[in-house]
Every structure is written in structure tokens, then in C-alpha cells.
Amino acid sequence: MSFDFYRRHLLGMEGMSKGEILHILETARSFREVIMRPIRIVPTLRGYSVVNMFFEPSTRTRVSFELAEKRLSCESVNFSSGGSSVSKGESLLDTVQTIEAMQVDAVVIRHSAQGAPHFLAERIRSSVINAGDGYHEHPTQALLDMFTLWDKIGGLSGLKVAIVGDIAHSRVALSDIHSLKTLGAEVMLCGPKSLMPFKVESLGVKITSNLEEALEFCDVVYMLRIQLERQAGERFPSIREYRQRYCLTMERIKKFKKDDFIVMHPGPMNRGVEISAEVADSRYSLILNQVTSGVAIRMAVIYLISGGKDRGKF
Amino acid sequence: MSIYTLCGGHIIDPQTDTDIIADIQIEEGVITKIGGKLSGGEVIDLKGKVIIPGLFDMHVHLREPGREDTETVFSGCQAAAAGGFTGVACMPNTQPAIDTASVVKFILDSAKNLPVDVHPIAAITTGRKGERLSEMGELLSSGAVGFSDDGSPLMNTDLMRRALEYASDFNAVIIQHSEDPYLFKGCMHEGIVSTKLGLPGIPSLCEELMVERDVRLVEYTGGRLHTAHVSSKGTVEIIRNAKRKGLNVTAEVTPHHLFLTDNSVMGYNSNFKMNPPLRTEEDRQALIEGFLDGAIDCIATDHAPHAFEDKETDFGSAPFGVIGLETALGLILNEFVLKNKMNWADMIDRMSVKPRAILNLPEMKIAEGERANLTIIDPEVEWEVNPAEFKSKSRNTPFTGMHLKGRAYGIFNKGQFVINT
Ligand SMILES: [Zn+2]
Ligand SMILES: [Zn+2]
């Protein structure tokens, strides 16, 4: 393994080179072998301290990071919302001071404000890993998505991927678009025009509002979670009509007779809204692979961000 | 099998470049032959009559469900047929509003066996409240042909943007009743006449600001905008400029705005009270110019029936709106077509072709193999507008007593003949 990864932070996928992405994927592959061993912990980052700051509830992502940190033997602490001061509107400046006082090596941050990780990265000595900032980016999700695909089918060059749903309010979509484009895949976005970000076509993606057109185009369909609680009525009429237009059902997949079709979803799913339970649990679905990939990718990211030097024995 | 032969009519259809005197044979509602000396079935002599593609009024209020005392789908269709219209699009400000598939289906069912096609326009927002988008996809698939909160404007600019965007997924049109509610404080045009009458005025700006805003939205996000009942010179200019820029913007004008001005309000007759209000002669001339040169796409009546007892009150308290289905064609023939200010082809464009195109409805052509959807005009008959003879349940017309030349002789549609007697 070559250690040509010089990033101190992982803030987003925009601007990350193909070489860097592939290096992270290769590293994740090694770590996945570790996870498969009977003893799943390596002493690699013993003494490396990480604080997980989740200003927004996200059980899946937080647990995935915690597991990754434990398996690398990091010292990790959680600084999560849900009763603590962070949920009561701690300012980012307070957060900067807190982190500096804690003297940690790395901060994993999930925040509802776009750019919050960037704000920290400019002001603290620790490394910053973006675990999702508002509707902006979610780079580790994109990396685990790339890992899942890469692992399943090898190179992504020429692969046709449709991302379906509320693109405008998805941090996953933007990170996935950047990653897929960098790795040579073709991307089509699908959703109501009222949920498309402004001028998103200038990112070099195709756009359609018709799910059938997207399914006809793609080898891989990536269904986004529709936010049940917000937007209905203002950006699109209703969950009911959304389901009628965009729910990925077996009937819709079968119409295009694609045998090696792949279905992905970042979770958590609204079964019966954007994806039918039957599809989610079908042979087309890589959704569980995505979850497994998550830990390996996050181990790779933390390891590489730390400088990639073994503090213990790999 | 039902067979009709229409003999000796003057057939005009710019869509098929037809302008001949010939016979038309119709079997089971379909034109099977156009030519000389046809016979068979029921023979109808139409010598001296003009046969054109069926007229379409894209803006009527049928008041059903909710105010069946003033109009119903049935009586509205009778009025339409009498006025020479083979199709209408009805606005959703009913009670309940046309904002669910079941109301759309109710209206379609009510019109099923009538000789006039009725196409519901559904509400942009649920209950026309301007708060939440209606289920446009489902409304379209159940038979709605466009969206409007008519009666009220959609003021929320972000929601209007999203409505244009969402409707564009289906290439459906958003029809705006353009009115800035904060400037809507009066009951007639704000001008010298309103000052003399002491009535509070509605400035032209009230309309123009919203049209300007909506045109800018279309320019920014795409989508299709149709401006209902254009009333002012300024609006005509805005529409003209938008079209020059290639924007997807269309507009309609009502007969009453083409023929009347705020001077008619002198005397406080509430049959001259409508929204938008009658404006000045300068505005009227600009509307005529736009109507003639095509800046304004079509005629729509904004047929708005009101009960006699509701209109029979002081001008300020009376409801806005006048009926128009039974007078529109006569007015246009008398003033424009028969005086050679507009040719038949343009008249057919403004009253039949364009309104259907705006609502994505199929073209109605006079040609062999096409559905027979025809308006038959008697261009010679002279008549006087007499509300007592109207088929509409309401009588609130501003054209009572007007002498006109030319009117609808009848219509043919859905295999049915309606001849005015
Ligand atoms: Zn209106
Ligand atoms: Zn109206």
C-alpha cells in the first residue's frame, strides 16, 4: 500500500481526484479483511483520539463511525445531541473552543448547517471529517457507495447511475455525483423539477422527471430518502403523489428486464414510499452491502486522515 | 348508424388550408367525406352558412358543484352550444374546489353525454388557499387539463415558482389570475371615472406587477404561464416582450375588455362590474391591437354567472363577473370578421386552435377521418342581445340590447347536432 494521501481533513468529494478515491477504496478493502477476522480489532491507531460530534440525530452514521474507531483502537468519545448542550443550539464558535480544549486528533462532525465542518477545519488544529453538512455533502456515504459498487462490479467507468428523489435536499446526491463523475460513471438525476437544485445540469449530469426514463437509462438506481416531515405541499404536492410517481416497485424494474440491475439506498428507507419492501429485500438490492461497506470505509478514512502511519501493528 | 350530410356550407379551416364550398358527410361522429354532391342519412342544408372547427372557450365558471342555482354543467353547456362553442374549460373555484380526482371525475361524468366537451382546470393549490400544491399528476391523469387558482391569484412567489416547475414535469400550463392582492382594494378601474363616481379604484398596476413577476419566474425556472383575462395596455406590452424573448407565455382577452371601457360604469350598473375591471379606451385599443396581431393568443369569456339577487345591489357590494358564452361569437363576428378587421383564419386561430393548444388538447380539424367537431355560423342574421333568451341560468351580461350581425347557427360534436332555433 502506498501512502500518497496528504489530506488532513475530509470535507467533501468535490475536487477529490480519482487517484485519491481509489486509494481510499483500496485501503478500505484491506480493512474489510480485518473486519472479517475473528478478532476484529487492530491496534493501528492506539492513542489516536477522535470525538464524534453529532449536532443532528443520525444513528446509522454515528454507530458506523464509532465501530470504525473501535476497530482501529482509537480513543473515541461521543458528543451527541439529544439532551446535551449541542441540541440546545451551541454555537460553532463554542464548539471550536471546546475541541481545542479537548486536544483531540480528529473530529467527526454531523451538522445541519452547510459548511459547518469547513468552519471548524479553518479554526482548529485537529483533523475534521464531514459526516454530513446540511444539504451539502456526505463524503463518507459517497465513498461507501463507491466502494460497494467497485467491490461488486469493478471499475465504474461507463457505468450508468440514476439518482432518484429529492435531489435538492440531499447531501448524499451531491457527494455521489462528484464521486461518480470522477470515477467515469454517467449520471442521470430523476425527480420532480421542483426538487432539482438550480442549474444542476452544469455538473455534467442528465436530468429527467420521469422515473421510467431513468430506469431505462441506468444500470444502477440510487433511491434517495424523501423527507416525510418537510417540503410536502411546498416543493411537491404530497407523499401520496410522490409514491405514485417515484416509488421503485418490482413492477417498474421488471418492465425493463435488466437482470444484473442494482438498487441502492443510503438509508433509512421509507418502505412503501420511495422504495417498495419487495425491492429493498430483493436480489437487486445492495442496501445491506452498503451498511457493511460503511465501517470499512470509515476505518480507511480515519486511518488515512491520521497520516496513515501505524501507531501499532496492522 | 347515424349519418349526416351537411350540404353547401362554406368550409374554412386554416389548419388544413381549406376554404371551399362543399358538402360534408359524417358517420358515427367522424368526417368520412368532403366533396360535391354528397347525400345520405339526414341531409342538412347549410347554404350561406360558414362551417369552421369547433370554437373553444378556455375560461368559464360553471358553478357546479356549489352554486347550481346560477349555473350547472348542463346549463353551461347549453349556453356554450348556443354561443357556438363545442368545448369549454371550467375553472376550479367551485365548492368544493376542483382539487381532487373525484371532483374532476364528477364534472367529466356530468358532461359525458352533452354535445359540448368540458375540460376541468384544477386548482394549483389545495382549496385554492395558496398554501400547498395540489396533486397535479393525479389531477392530470384523471382528466384535468391545466391549473389555476382563478378567482384568486397565487401570491406566494416561491409556491408559484414551484408550481411552474412541478407542472412542467407534465408540460401542463399554470393559468394565473394576475392580481396583487395588496393593490386590490377597489371595485372598478382606478381612473378619472372612478374619481367621478367616488368608487374605490383598482389600478392597472395591480395586474401588471403580477404578470411581470410571473414572466420573470418563467424566464428563471421555465414552466408554462398563461395569463388570464388581460385587461391593460401595460400587460399587453409585458406579454409582447416575453414572447419576443421566446418565453413560454400565453394570454387571453375577454370580449368585455375588447368592447367596453370604464365609461360604462357611469350609472352604477353592476353588470359592468367584473375582475379585472373594464379599463380605459387607451387600454381597450391596446387589447384590440394585441388581439389582432397575435400578441394575445386567444379569446376567453371568463363566463361568470351570478344570481340576479346577488348582482341586484349597490355597485360596491355586488359580486365581480359577467357571463359571456352566448355573446362572444356575435361580438367578434360583428366587429372584426364581418368588418374585415380580422380574417376568418385568425378568428379560428384565436377561438378554436390556440385555446386547445394551450391546454394540450388535440387539434380539431375539418378533414376526412377527423372527429366532426364543428361550429356552424350564420353570417347574415341580425339580432339583438336579449338575456331573457339565454340558455345560461344567469342573466348578468353587459351587452343587453346590443344589435349584432352574425351568430352561431349550431354546433356538431360527439355525434350530436345542436341547432339554435
Ligand atoms: Zn380570474
Ligand atoms: Zn375567471
Side-chain angles (χ1 to χ4, degrees), chain A residues 53-57 79-81 86-87 90-92 95 109-112 120:
Chain A
M53 305 195 94
F54 279 68
F55 293 81
E56 252 189 358
F79 191 79
S80 297
S81 65
V86 291
S87 61
E90 172 168 322
S91 79
L92 278 171
T95 308
I109 177 172
R110 157 69 63 97
H111 202 286
S112 61
L120 293 189

Short mmCIF file of all heavy atoms in Angstrom, two decimals, chain A residues 53-57 79-81 86-87 90-92 95 109-112 120:
data_model
loop_
_atom_site.label_atom_id
_atom_site.label_comp_id
_atom_site.label_asym_id
_atom_site.label_seq_id
_atom_site.Cartn_x
_atom_site.Cartn_y
_atom_site.Cartn_z
N MET A 53 -18.96 14.42 16.91
CA MET A 53 -19.90 15.48 17.28
C MET A 53 -21.10 15.43 16.35
O MET A 53 -21.01 15.82 15.19
CB MET A 53 -19.21 16.84 17.15
CG MET A 53 -17.94 16.93 17.95
SD MET A 53 -17.39 18.63 18.12
CE MET A 53 -18.11 19.06 19.68
N PHE A 54 -22.21 14.97 16.86
CA PHE A 54 -23.43 14.86 16.05
C PHE A 54 -24.46 15.88 16.51
O PHE A 54 -25.11 15.69 17.52
CB PHE A 54 -23.96 13.42 16.07
CG PHE A 54 -23.22 12.55 15.10
CD1 PHE A 54 -21.88 12.23 15.31
CD2 PHE A 54 -23.84 12.08 13.95
CE1 PHE A 54 -21.19 11.45 14.38
CE2 PHE A 54 -23.16 11.31 13.02
CZ PHE A 54 -21.83 11.00 13.23
N PHE A 55 -24.53 16.93 15.75
CA PHE A 55 -25.47 18.00 16.08
C PHE A 55 -26.86 17.71 15.52
O PHE A 55 -27.78 18.49 15.68
CB PHE A 55 -24.97 19.34 15.51
CG PHE A 55 -23.72 19.84 16.18
CD1 PHE A 55 -22.47 19.36 15.83
CD2 PHE A 55 -23.81 20.78 17.20
CE1 PHE A 55 -21.33 19.81 16.46
CE2 PHE A 55 -22.67 21.24 17.83
CZ PHE A 55 -21.42 20.75 17.46
N GLU A 56 -26.95 16.63 14.79
CA GLU A 56 -28.22 16.18 14.21
C GLU A 56 -28.30 14.71 14.51
O GLU A 56 -27.28 14.02 14.39
CB GLU A 56 -28.17 16.30 12.68
CG GLU A 56 -28.98 17.39 12.08
CD GLU A 56 -29.01 17.25 10.56
OE1 GLU A 56 -28.38 16.34 9.97
OE2 GLU A 56 -29.67 18.06 9.96
N PRO A 57 -29.47 14.20 14.85
CA PRO A 57 -29.53 12.76 15.11
C PRO A 57 -29.25 11.96 13.84
O PRO A 57 -29.78 12.28 12.78
CB PRO A 57 -30.96 12.53 15.60
CG PRO A 57 -31.73 13.71 15.12
CD PRO A 57 -30.76 14.86 15.00
N PHE A 79 -20.07 13.17 21.45
CA PHE A 79 -20.53 14.48 21.88
C PHE A 79 -21.80 14.69 21.08
O PHE A 79 -21.80 15.35 20.05
CB PHE A 79 -19.42 15.47 21.49
CG PHE A 79 -19.58 16.84 22.09
CD1 PHE A 79 -19.22 17.08 23.40
CD2 PHE A 79 -20.06 17.90 21.32
CE1 PHE A 79 -19.33 18.35 23.93
CE2 PHE A 79 -20.18 19.17 21.86
CZ PHE A 79 -19.81 19.40 23.16
N SER A 80 -22.87 13.97 21.52
CA SER A 80 -24.05 13.91 20.65
C SER A 80 -25.19 14.76 21.15
O SER A 80 -25.25 15.11 22.32
CB SER A 80 -24.55 12.47 20.55
OG SER A 80 -23.57 11.68 19.95
N SER A 81 -26.08 15.03 20.26
CA SER A 81 -27.28 15.77 20.64
C SER A 81 -28.23 14.83 21.36
O SER A 81 -27.95 13.66 21.54
CB SER A 81 -27.95 16.36 19.41
OG SER A 81 -28.41 15.33 18.58
N VAL A 86 -25.43 20.38 22.86
CA VAL A 86 -25.36 20.60 21.41
C VAL A 86 -26.73 20.77 20.79
O VAL A 86 -26.90 21.50 19.83
CB VAL A 86 -24.57 19.49 20.67
CG1 VAL A 86 -23.12 19.55 21.03
CG2 VAL A 86 -25.17 18.14 20.92
N SER A 87 -27.72 20.07 21.36
CA SER A 87 -29.04 20.18 20.76
C SER A 87 -29.67 21.51 21.13
O SER A 87 -30.62 21.95 20.52
CB SER A 87 -29.94 19.04 21.21
OG SER A 87 -30.08 19.10 22.61
N GLU A 90 -25.75 25.11 20.67
CA GLU A 90 -24.38 25.56 20.93
C GLU A 90 -23.83 26.19 19.65
O GLU A 90 -24.01 25.68 18.56
CB GLU A 90 -23.52 24.35 21.32
CG GLU A 90 -22.04 24.71 21.41
CD GLU A 90 -21.19 23.63 22.08
OE1 GLU A 90 -21.66 23.04 23.05
OE2 GLU A 90 -20.06 23.42 21.63
N SER A 91 -23.17 27.31 19.79
CA SER A 91 -22.66 27.98 18.59
C SER A 91 -21.42 27.28 18.09
O SER A 91 -20.72 26.58 18.83
CB SER A 91 -22.35 29.44 18.89
OG SER A 91 -21.11 29.52 19.55
N LEU A 92 -21.14 27.47 16.82
CA LEU A 92 -19.96 26.83 16.24
C LEU A 92 -18.68 27.34 16.90
O LEU A 92 -17.71 26.62 17.05
CB LEU A 92 -19.93 27.06 14.73
CG LEU A 92 -20.81 26.11 13.93
CD1 LEU A 92 -20.90 26.55 12.48
CD2 LEU A 92 -20.28 24.67 14.00
N THR A 95 -18.06 25.49 19.90
CA THR A 95 -17.58 24.16 19.54
C THR A 95 -16.09 24.19 19.27
O THR A 95 -15.34 23.31 19.71
CB THR A 95 -18.34 23.66 18.29
OG1 THR A 95 -19.73 23.78 18.54
CG2 THR A 95 -17.99 22.22 17.99
N ILE A 109 -17.85 15.30 12.35
CA ILE A 109 -18.97 16.21 12.63
C ILE A 109 -20.12 16.03 11.66
O ILE A 109 -19.95 15.93 10.45
CB ILE A 109 -18.50 17.69 12.64
CG1 ILE A 109 -19.71 18.62 12.87
CG2 ILE A 109 -17.75 18.06 11.36
CD1 ILE A 109 -19.36 20.07 13.08
N ARG A 110 -21.31 15.92 12.27
CA ARG A 110 -22.57 15.97 11.51
C ARG A 110 -23.29 17.23 11.96
O ARG A 110 -23.45 17.44 13.17
CB ARG A 110 -23.40 14.73 11.84
CG ARG A 110 -24.91 14.88 11.58
CD ARG A 110 -25.29 14.98 10.12
NE ARG A 110 -24.96 13.81 9.36
CZ ARG A 110 -25.81 12.82 9.08
NH1 ARG A 110 -27.05 12.89 9.46
NH2 ARG A 110 -25.41 11.77 8.39
N HIS A 111 -23.65 18.06 11.02
CA HIS A 111 -24.28 19.33 11.38
C HIS A 111 -25.33 19.70 10.34
O HIS A 111 -25.17 19.39 9.16
CB HIS A 111 -23.21 20.42 11.46
CG HIS A 111 -23.61 21.61 12.30
ND1 HIS A 111 -24.52 22.55 11.87
CD2 HIS A 111 -23.22 22.00 13.55
CE1 HIS A 111 -24.68 23.46 12.82
NE2 HIS A 111 -23.91 23.16 13.85
N SER A 112 -26.39 20.37 10.78
CA SER A 112 -27.45 20.74 9.84
C SER A 112 -27.04 21.93 8.97
O SER A 112 -27.69 22.21 7.96
CB SER A 112 -28.73 21.09 10.59
OG SER A 112 -28.48 22.19 11.44
N LEU A 120 -15.02 24.69 11.08
CA LEU A 120 -14.13 24.12 12.10
C LEU A 120 -12.73 23.90 11.55
O LEU A 120 -11.73 24.23 12.20
CB LEU A 120 -14.67 22.77 12.59
CG LEU A 120 -15.97 22.76 13.38
CD1 LEU A 120 -16.20 21.36 13.95
CD2 LEU A 120 -15.93 23.79 14.51
#
